[in-house]
Structures are given as C-alpha cells and as structure tokens.
Amino acid sequence: SCHGRIVKVPAGPLVRVEGTEVVIPCNVSQYDGPREQNFDWEFSTNSAQDSRFVHVVSTWDPMFTSQEYQDRVLSAEITLRRNSNNAVELVIGNIRPSDEGMYRCTTPSTDAVFRGNYNAVVEVKVIADGLTVSGSKARTISTWNLSEGDAFQLRCSASTNSSEHTHLHVSWEFKNGLAWQEILSLTHEGKFQAAPEYNERYIIGDVRLDAMANDAYRLSVSQALPSDEGAYRCRVSEWVKGADGSWQKIQEKTADVANVVVQPTALGVFITRSNVSVTERESLDLTCNFTTDRSGIFQAEVTWYFSESPDGTMSEAQVLLSADRDSVVSDSTHISLGHVDRSSYHLLVRDVGPEDSGYYFCQAALLVPQHNGTWHKIAERTSVPVTVEVLALDDPTELECRIIEAQNTEANIRFTVSWYYRLPTHGDELVIDELLATMDADWTLVVGDRSKPRAQNGEIIFSKPTVDTFRLRIQWTTEADKGDYYCVISSWSRQRNNSWVKIKDVASMPVSILWSTQDYALTVEAVKLKPFFMAGHTFEMTCKVSSQNIKSPRYSVLITAEKPLNDQSNPNGTTRIISLNQDSVVRREDWTDQDRVDGVVLEKVQENEFRYRMYQTQISDAGLYRCVVTAWSPGGGGMWREAVNGFSNPIQIDFQTSGPVFNVSVHSDSPTVYWGELVTLDCIVTIEGTALSPDDMSFNVSWFALRSFTMDRDPVFLASLDQKGIVTQARRNGSSDVSLERISSLEFRLRIHGCEDLDFGNHYCLVTPWVRSAAGVWQQKMEVKSKPVLITVKMDVLNAFKFPLLIGIGLATLIGLLSCLIGYCSSRWCCKKEVQETRRERRRLMSMEMD
C-alpha cells in the first residue's frame, strides 16, 4: 500500500453513563503480514500527548495488563472482543468515573516497512446517571379490567438531568406471550414511529402517544380489542450526538406500567318465538333481539336468513333482508323490517305461502365508531333457527252446476247460469233466496250484493270451464257461508235480428254446506309480579291467554282500570289506559297524565302472554286493573275476524300509607249576598298525623258549583290553581267573573265578583295534595272533596227601585223643561202677526178738461 497502516477508533469524545457498558471499536487496514492482527489497549487520565498510558489489555500478551486492571480483566469486566482479523472491541462492562480519560489502541507492526500510524486515541467522558423512568405510582403493577371497545390510557414518566445535551427515545411495548412487541415510539429525533402491526390503528387515531406536562408520556387506545390484552411497559433510551454528527445510545431503562385484561363483548342473539305456525296469506312477524354488555356509542347491523334445512350453512341460506347503519336492503316488496328499539328488529313477511315454510334465523353485528369516521365491527353472532310452518287455509268450497241431457244444442241455443244462496231455516220460517251472481245472454256476469265485495277480493270465483259446466268456488269458507246453494240454468234462443230470448229456466236441487262447530272459548289470567310495592315504584302485571276451538288465533289486549267512585277525574268508574291490537300496534287510549306521557307500557312477551308496566305510580293510580282480550281468527285475504272476547281477574293497586291525612273545608263569612255584591269563599286544608314542611307539599285546588239545592245536577267548573301556581278559569257563560288566589300554604280563596242570579248554588273545592318524598320525588295523593257551602243571591228592593225612581223623576223633569222651552219659543216667534200700513197717494186730481 502506498499509504501504510491505518488504525482507526471512533471520533471522540465518547460520552457514556456511569454503570453502563462501554464498547470502543478499533480496526486496522492497509497492513502487511498475517491477516490476523493483534491489538493493545492503554489508558491515560491526561489528554496531553506526552502523558503516561497504563496498559489495560492485549490480544497477544497475557502479561500486558497493568496491576490496577488485573482484577477487572480476570473478572471479565474488561474484555476484548474480536470481530474480525483486523477489528476488535474494548468492552468495559461497568464503567466508572475513574475510567474517564484517553484510550489508545495500538497494533504491533507486521509490516516490512514502518509506514502509517500504528495507534489511535479516543477520549471517553463518563457522566452521572440522570435518567429516571417510572410507571405507576403504586408499588405493584395495576391491572385494568376492560370490556371490548373501552378506551384506556397508560402513563409513563421519563426525565434526565444529564450534564450533557441528550435526547430521550420513548417506546411503548406490549407482551402477550414470551417476547415484547413495540407499539409506538417517540424517537430521539422527535418523530412518531408505529410498529407495522399498529400502523393502521395509529393512522386512524385509535392508538396515540402524547407528550404531556411533567415529563409524562401517555399511551391512548380509544377502542380496546381482545388482542390488546397483556402486559404494558415503556422503554426509554438516552441518546447523545457524537463528534461525527451521528446519534449514539448511551443508556436504556424500562418501567412496567400495567396489565390489561380485555373482556370480549358479550353478544347474544335470539328470536323471541321458537316454533311458529301461520296461516297461508297472513303475515309472518318475527322479532330478532340481541343483548350485549356493551355501553356507549355503537350501531347494530342485522341480517335475516331463510333456509329450507336446519343444518344449512350461511352460504346456502337465502338473505331475506339486511339492515345496516344507513339503509335497509330487501329483495322483495313483501318483506319489511321494523326497528322497535335499539336491540329489537321485527321481520314482517306479508302474504305468506307454503313455500315460506322453513327455518328463519338472524345475524347481528355490533360496530363502534373510529376517530376517522369509520366503523369497526367488534362482535357478530347468529341466532338459533326458528321453525316456521305455513298452514294451508280452510279447505275451499267448490260447487259445480252441470247440464245433462240437453236437447237442441245447435248453434242458435246458448246456456247461462244463475247462482242462489238460501239461509238455513227452522220450522215454518220464511225461505229467503239471495242472488249470488247471474249471467246474461251475452255471458256478462252480474254479481249480487251479498257476494260482490268477496268477489272483488277474489274470495269467491265464478267460472265456466266447459260449455255445459259452471262452477262456484269459495276460497275461504266461513260460518256465514253455511246454508243451501242451487243453480238455475237458462237457455237462450237467437232471433233473426241476432237478439237473444230466454226460452226456459231449469233449477237444480239445493246442496247444503254445513259442518259441526264447537263454541269458542277464551281464558285470561292476570298475575301481579310484585306482591307489594309503594308509591313511586313500578307496577307490573302479566296476562296469559288460552283459547280453544280457534284456529291460528291472535289476540288484542286492552288494559282498563276501575277507579274508586270518589275519583272526580273518572266519574264513569272505568278508564281505558293502553291497548295492543292483533298486529302488535300499541296505542294509548285515555291516558292523559302529561307528566307521565310514557309512564305506561304494554308489550307482547309471547304469542299468548302480555306484560303491562306502569312507572312511577301515584296514589291516584289506586284501583282494579284488568286485561280485556279479544281473540281473532284468520278471515282470508289477509283480514282478521273477531272470534270471542274475554277479560281477566282484577288486580288491585292499594297503597298502604302511614303519611299525613288531608282534610278540606270551605268557609264563607257571607254566604247570603245581594245582587251585585262580592262573595268570598275560603278553601282550608288541614293535616292530621305526620307534620310536613311547606316546601314538601303542594296542592292542586279546583272549585265547582252545583246550581241546585238538592245536589242533583252536574257540577260546573269555576276555576283551578295547580301545584305550579297556574290559574285556569272556565268561560263566563253569563255568570260573574271569578278570581282565585293562595292566601297561605294551606288556604286558598275564591272571589265571585258582582254576583248574579246564576251564581246561586252549592260551592265546594276539590284538592289534590302532592307530597315530596325523602328521595325528592313528588307523589300525588288521593283527592279530597270539601262539604259544599250554599250561596244565595237576594234582591234589595229599596236599591232595586231607587235607581229607576230617580231616573224617572229626572227624565220627567227634563221633559217638562223641554216642553216649556218649546212652548215659549213657539209663542215668541211662530205666532206673531205682522201689520202693514196702507200707503196713501198724495197726488192731485187732474181736471177733466185737461184730458
């Protein structure tokens, strides 16, 4: 070589942490001689070139090591590790502060010519350990028990007070077996780096690493998966930039943080009915319910399948309908999906036929939202198949009218038919024949009034299969079809003008359609599920129905309540609360409690079992509750006909309370008043028993009047003041104006202004107390009615005639004065005579001669 031997060590200084392992590589190149070269390592605490170096270790001379390093070399704390023929590493297992200094690597010459450098020196700086890494504050590692999909956050603290400018590299690691697996790192260069297995979850934001205040590093997982179960720790390494600009790791520490246990999402999927029988052309209604321990935000996807075999695979099954988060997809207009609540989905198949018999099952999947707006499926289950049997309709009735021994059946002769129905009669009853249908000469069918609606629905079919045969077919025979049927054949002859003339009618013998039937029977049993409860609790009862001699029945249920006779809100005694018809449509009937709009629920538990719930019961809910059930049987054409009614045994709600007892009385200082005066009535509430704070009680006060002495008329509502202080007044209707106010917490005053005759009668107040329980819930107590107070209105005779008399005198005086004034004016101007003097001529007479 033209350059000679070159010995290289890393550029210094090398910064290392006390107590860590230090590796200093040294290699030689461009040398002569054997391939394997030897190396000597020496150490000096002084950086001067003429400083004294102490022998540390050598690859070829066992006696090379100085006395102060012999123990460390013999214990292998300081060793040489050969990497190749021309490269070795000096390894110091536990560096000490005294090891700080200059290290020289020397290679003995094997060259023919002494040329190049035969040693190289590198400086090593030893700094104190300033890195602190900690996980949980507790002494033991915490265990997190999570459900699938839950979010969790883990914290790790890492800091350094190193004298050198160092950077930290923080990595979160996970172990669910033997080896630790990296999750996410914040490198010493300030970059986030996810492991390949977690890269997708990191991109969508499901897994994050956040640098927090106080040197904390937080690992956040928004949706825990079963694969996230295991041990977690954080690994922190300290890095320093070397003289050559490269980063060097000087130490590393780990801290165990937590053990995470992820319970997979429990998902149960089932269909409420097991074996279902449905009549042909009716509707099949199945409900798919799912239960889960999942809380928070999630969406369900439900798919209904049909299979002809109970052992059929999912790939062989037919998809009837699927509902995802955004839409419902069905391949038939006869199939629809109803979303009852968050965990119930109704499948409705209309107009079923025999081909719909088979096995139905549903599949439900739960999805949770991701940070990027997508949804992740966390669980999926399939229900047990339900057997569905489609029963054929009642056997149809078909009558055939055939012409036998017909004569003169040439082309100019035509036959038509008329069908008649005759009600079954007993004894001497009058026989009534009803026309079902008749055929004109041009074979136009005219349907009678009795069969017209059913013929339009296709329930009755009239046909002419051959020239001499006519048929009447009743698709679904009912009780109303019992009776006698006969046909009349008419023969028609064609005339020369091509018109037709009836020449003969021949009637058949009647055929009876009768069958023996058994009476319908219906039994309803009501059971109270909780034998004892208090006001504010939930009342719950079930009604179980059993029927006999009804084919494929369905039931409609009505819940009624029989209130006490003194309940003014329910004068008729019975209230219709809520109903559920044979198609499972729920309707609130006379339930008018605005504070408990959704306080009653009626649901179908099984085909013959129904459950009624009433939440937050009040004292006013006391009474007898029944289930009124109507059984329906298929009537054909998808219609239902009522079969029989029944009602259950009564279930009583009776509140046994030991609270206060309220009494009400009405007082008036002047029950007898004169016409136009003011009447004041005070409604006074008294309490017996437990004393109550005014803040814990409120009253709804209503005033009524009975316009009679004998209390035999209906009460007239005057005004009311509810527990919130809102006043409601009835229309005046000719009576005086009224005002209502609260005098004190237990006194309420009614004023009737300007009394009239119509204000006569018995007046009373009706008070509904409201009491706040210890739990802070307002409870309505029983209404209390006061005894009436009779108000009479009298006429004041003096006052009655005083005003008319004064008015008469005043009017008479005014009229007299006006008359005098008119007379005076008339005499002064109208009756005066005007006299005019006769003017005399003062002329002389003329002489006649002058004329």
Side-chain angles (χ1 to χ4, degrees), residues 525-542:
E525 180 185 5
V527 178
K528 181 164 62 174
L529 299 183
K530 296 180 180 179
F532 176 78
F533 67 98
M534 299 176 61
H537 291 185
T538 298
F539 168 71
E540 187 174 0
M541 75 174 185
T542 61

Side-chain angles (χ1 to χ4, degrees), residues 44 184-185 197 219 263 269 338 677 810:
S44 174
L184 188 60
S185 300
E197 297 83 358
L219 174 68
Q263 182 70 28
V269 182
E677 291 185 346

Side-chain angles (χ1 to χ4, degrees), residues 310-325:
D311 302 325
T313 60
M314 296 290 292
S315 59
E316 298 174 350
Q318 175 188 354
V319 178
L320 297 177
L321 181 144
S322 61
D324 58 15
R325 298 177 294 104

Side-chain angles (χ1 to χ4, degrees), residues 217 704 800:
Y217 297 86
F704 296 89

